[in-house]
Amino acid sequence: MRLLQEAFGIATDGVIGPKTRAALAVTGQSKLYSKVLAARLRNLDRLITNDPEQSVSAAGRMNRMAEFVEGTV
């Protein structure tokens, strides 16, 4: 949920409250999809930047994101 909230630019409290619901209500499915993917990519970048040892698992994470884009997840 925090990743979704980050994608919308609202407080990342992990709670599906009125602001999260409102953001979901006015965002089309394809835009939501793009926002979540972008947030996941930024999160992966932060993980690797803050802990270079995370780069070992980056390929697997990128494959999961590719599946997400392809709609197989």
Side-chain angles (χ1 to χ4, degrees):
M1 186 49 52
R2 292 178 190 271
L3 203 61
L4 181 65
Q5 291 169 325
E6 178 184 328
F8 284 127
I10 57 179
T12 55
D13 59 7
V15 177
I16 303 173
K19 290 181 182 177
T20 304
R21 285 191 178 102
L24 286 167
V26 298
T27 305
Q29 185 176 3
S30 62
K31 185 70 171 175
L32 173 62
Y33 197 77
S34 296
K35 285 184 165 290
V36 170
L37 180 60
R40 288 182 73 179
L41 288 168
R42 286 187 195 99
N43 187 52
L44 178 60
D45 179 55
R46 277 193 301 270
L47 280 171
I48 293 171
T49 299
N50 294 333
D51 182 4
E53 291 182 15
Q54 293 291 326
S55 64
V56 173
S57 62
R61 292 173 193 230
M62 293 298 281
N63 284 333
R64 283 191 294 282
M65 282 187 260
E67 291 170 355
F68 185 73
V69 170
E70 294 169 339
T72 57
V73 174

